[in-house]
Amino acid sequence: NLPGYPMLVFHNDLVPPEVLRELRKAVMPGTELDFAEAEVAFPESIASVGPDVFFKGRCIDAAGRDRWRLKRECGCGCGETGPRRDDAGRGNGGRCWALD
């Protein structure tokens, strides 16, 4: 963080209190740290069709790649779009590895 500036951590109600306590202990002494519970939801225009329909093709980077697709699809071609697996292949199903 920048010295002299407060640090604000946004979190939702699913973050366990012990995680917030660990974060508080991890900052440099003298750092002003505050927590703010936030609720994040898609606007109805996105929620009604789902984020994939809304964002696909709209997140193009400087190289012309669709970053939404790269973050959502599996790089091995299996067609899965779930959470990534870790390097040891563990996970709750989903992508084997990412395209990027």
Side-chain angles (χ1 to χ4, degrees):
N1 74 316
L2 298 172
Y5 287 90
M7 185 181 299
L8 181 60
V9 176
F10 292 96
H11 65 92
N12 65 25
D13 60 350
L14 299 177
V15 176
E18 55 271 12
V19 170
L20 300 177
R21 284 192 293 275
E22 288 298 316
L23 281 172
R24 186 171 297 283
K25 287 194 273 185
V27 298
M28 292 175 39
T31 300
E32 184 182 339
L33 179 65
D34 201 3
F35 297 98
E37 190 171 310
E39 183 178 324
V40 179
F42 287 112
E44 182 55 34
S45 60
I46 297 173
S48 64
V49 295
D52 288 327
V53 171
F54 187 83
F55 288 112
K56 193 168 185 173
R58 296 183 186 202
C59 302
I60 307 302
D61 67 12
R65 296 175 298 189
D66 182 349
R67 300 303 295 171
W68 185 260
R69 184 181 67 83
L70 290 175
K71 294 295 183 191
R72 301 285 289 172
E73 295 178 2
C74 186
C76 77
C78 69
E80 291 293 337
T81 58
R84 283 188 196 173
R85 294 173 183 240
D86 64 19
D87 289 338
R90 295 181 302 256
N92 58 353
R95 296 183 292 174
C96 304
W97 46 279
L99 290 169
D100 62 345

